[in-house]
Amino acid sequence: HNLLEESSKDPLTKLFNRRFIVSKMEKEHLVSRKKETLFAVILIDVDFFKKINDTYGHNGGDLVLVALSHTLQQNTRAGSFLARWGGEEFLMTCYVSSKDDLAKMMERLRSVVEQMIVDYDGQKIETTITLGGAIAHPGEHFSLVINRADNALYIGKEKGRNQGVIAV
């Protein structure tokens, strides 16, 4: 393990951390301006995570976050990046061909997580996620793309969770 790798990874999930993904997005976003593909951001939040922690303790909660990070990573397209954004929130960057393509991708992630069962000391923990997605507008700074994805995520939570919402 070198120091750079240590500083770019989240110790629990082994995913990239927030600082690394922000520096990565600064580069990626420039790349997307040159390509024909659309740069998108998906924010993913574990539904009722506090209840998981309250019911199973922080070890149970940590186990869910680790399992979730593996499940998300296994269902991530080539060229996409997944990071732990903070707490029970994850951020994915990806290239999509259309809004419909992004919607399909988000639905696949939602669906595989809903089917995921975490075994914690013989107890079965099930969880769902809410997702907010946004496609970058030409020349839009990625921080604004994240803000729009975050707003979409909030709408998904308001509308009952366990769903994906794409920002306009």
Side-chain angles (χ1 to χ4, degrees):
H1 275 341
N2 64 31
L3 204 59
L4 184 68
E5 194 175 303
E6 286 290 316
S7 69
S8 67
K9 295 276 173 93
D10 170 59
L12 177 67
T13 61
K14 308 294 182 246
L15 295 177
F16 291 117
N17 61 26
R18 187 174 188 140
R19 185 176 57 202
F20 177 83
I21 202 80
V22 165
S23 69
K24 180 82 187 141
M25 271 193 289
E26 285 173 341
K27 295 180 189 93
E28 287 289 315
H29 193 47
L30 295 172
V31 173
S32 78
R33 289 182 202 169
K34 297 178 190 122
K35 291 184 184 174
E36 287 302 301
T37 52
L38 302 167
F39 177 76
V41 167
I42 303 171
L43 277 174
I44 301 160
D45 192 78
V46 181
D47 296 329
F48 304 111
F49 189 69
K50 186 186 180 321
K51 189 175 175 226
I52 293 170
N53 273 336
D54 290 348
T55 307
Y56 304 98
H58 287 282
N59 288 347
D62 284 354
L63 205 62
V64 168
L65 293 176
V66 170
L68 178 62
S69 63
H70 288 299
T71 299
L72 292 172
Q73 210 152 31
Q74 284 166 349
N75 290 279
T76 300
R77 288 182 187 171
S80 298
F81 275 88
L82 180 65
R84 186 166 179 200
W85 193 239
E88 67 276 15
E89 209 168 31
F90 296 83
L91 183 142
M92 186 182 288
T93 65
C94 52
Y95 290 104
V96 295
S97 58
S98 64
K99 190 175 172 178
D100 190 47
D101 187 28
L102 177 59
K104 285 188 179 119
M105 191 175 177
M106 287 167 63
E107 176 51 27
R108 191 179 74 241
L109 294 171
R110 190 207 61 75
S111 175
V112 293
V113 170
E114 191 176 39
Q115 292 162 40
M116 181 183 89
I117 296 170
V118 178
D119 190 319
Y120 179 62
D121 286 345
Q123 298 178 86
K124 305 268 181 266
I125 308 176
E126 294 180 49
T127 189
T128 59
I129 54 172
T130 300
L131 308 91
I135 295 172
H137 299 314
E140 181 182 28
H141 193 268
F142 69 82
S143 63
L144 298 176
V145 188
I146 294 169
N147 287 349
R148 290 193 296 110
D150 197 41
N151 290 340
L153 174 69
Y154 183 77
I155 292 167
K157 290 208 168 273
E158 291 278 290
K159 285 165 71 177
R161 298 177 167 83
N162 191 23
Q163 61 189 287
V165 174
I166 297 177
V168 277

